[in-house]
Amino acid sequence: MNKNKMAMLISLALVAVAPSAAFAQAAAAAPAASAVEPARLDAARKLMDEIMPPAMRDQMMTSMMQSMMGTMVQALRQNPDFTRSLAAEPKAAAVFDSFVKREQTLATQDLIAGLPSMLDAMARAYARRFTLEQLHDLSLFFATPTGQTYVVVAPTVMSDPDVAQWMTATMRRSQDRLPTELAKLMADLKAALPKGTSHGG
């Protein structure tokens, strides 16, 4: 595989895992946390158990990651440059499939391992934003048949055809913009580095 094709495949693969970086960047930009009222925090923690029942958490995270990765891979496979590159290099297709499976497994493992701290963080966020009365009302809702249905169905929304179509269109715009952005990056690096500096290391 020539360097240009390899660069294209690597760049598109990076687009596939870009949402994780976006989440991390958003978290880094979050404002400093304010104090939480203990009673509201206790109510919010109980609410988390209703929103994400302990017995269902692992499966919810697995389903959510499968939906996200499936939609992103579908968008990549609709990119003409990507599909041509894979068609020209059958071994590259196997490598890419292995990469996707590995990233999905690792991302799911990270989500599951981080669930306790994530739920605690969410409980604190809810406690800051909802009063005791509002938290009580939310708890009542999730105890209803409709609330229980929401708990089961909500994680599958990302795989809904309309949502998947929107995500595919968003991914495609990112992919279409990528060559131009990479060219700008290379130009900026060339301008920033002293003359005679090699980009190859």
Side-chain angles (χ1 to χ4, degrees):
M1 180 184 295
N2 63 41
K3 292 182 178 180
N4 289 336
K5 287 184 178 179
M6 178 65 75
M8 174 63 71
L9 286 174
I10 292 174
S11 298
L12 291 173
L14 288 174
V15 170
V17 297
S20 297
F23 289 139
Q25 185 178 12
S34 58
V36 178
E37 181 183 328
R40 288 166 65 174
L41 180 57
D42 183 59
R45 283 174 171 157
K46 292 176 181 177
L47 180 62
M48 291 303 105
D49 285 342
E50 296 170 0
I51 294 176
M52 295 187 68
M56 298 174 58
R57 288 173 185 172
D58 288 6
Q59 184 56 46
M60 290 171 75
M61 292 298 98
T62 299
S63 298
M64 182 179 71
M65 187 52 61
Q66 286 176 343
S67 295
M68 290 178 61
M69 289 297 290
T71 300
M72 288 186 288
V73 170
Q74 180 183 0
L76 282 174
R77 293 193 182 281
Q78 291 180 5
N79 181 288
D81 292 330
F82 183 77
T83 53
R84 279 195 296 269
S85 295
L86 291 188
E89 300 287 348
K91 291 182 179 180
V95 170
F96 178 74
D97 288 341
S98 178
F99 166 81
V100 170
K101 291 178 181 178
R102 184 171 66 253
E103 289 303 313
Q104 179 174 317
T105 298
L106 292 172
T108 302
Q109 290 174 348
D110 285 344
L111 278 176
I112 292 174
L115 266 177
S117 56
M118 183 195 79
L119 289 171
D120 187 64
M122 288 179 62
R124 292 177 179 278
Y126 271 62
R128 290 189 183 94
R129 288 162 175 79
F130 297 99
T131 65
L132 270 175
E133 182 180 359
Q134 290 168 336
L135 290 167
H136 176 68
D137 289 344
L138 287 170
S139 180
L140 290 177
F141 166 72
F142 284 108
T144 66
T146 300
Q148 290 298 301
T149 299
Y150 176 87
V151 166
V152 174
V153 173
T156 70
V157 170
M158 296 304 291
S159 61
D160 181 87
D162 286 326
V163 178
Q165 183 178 16
W166 172 83
M167 289 184 67
T168 298
T170 300
M171 286 286 295
R172 189 173 299 161
R173 286 193 294 272
S174 295
Q175 294 166 19
D176 291 344
R177 188 170 58 242
L178 188 59
T180 300
E181 291 303 312
L182 288 175
K184 289 180 180 178
L185 172 62
M186 295 305 296
D188 290 343
L189 285 173
K190 184 177 180 181
L193 294 173
K195 290 184 177 180
T197 301
S198 172
H199 297 300

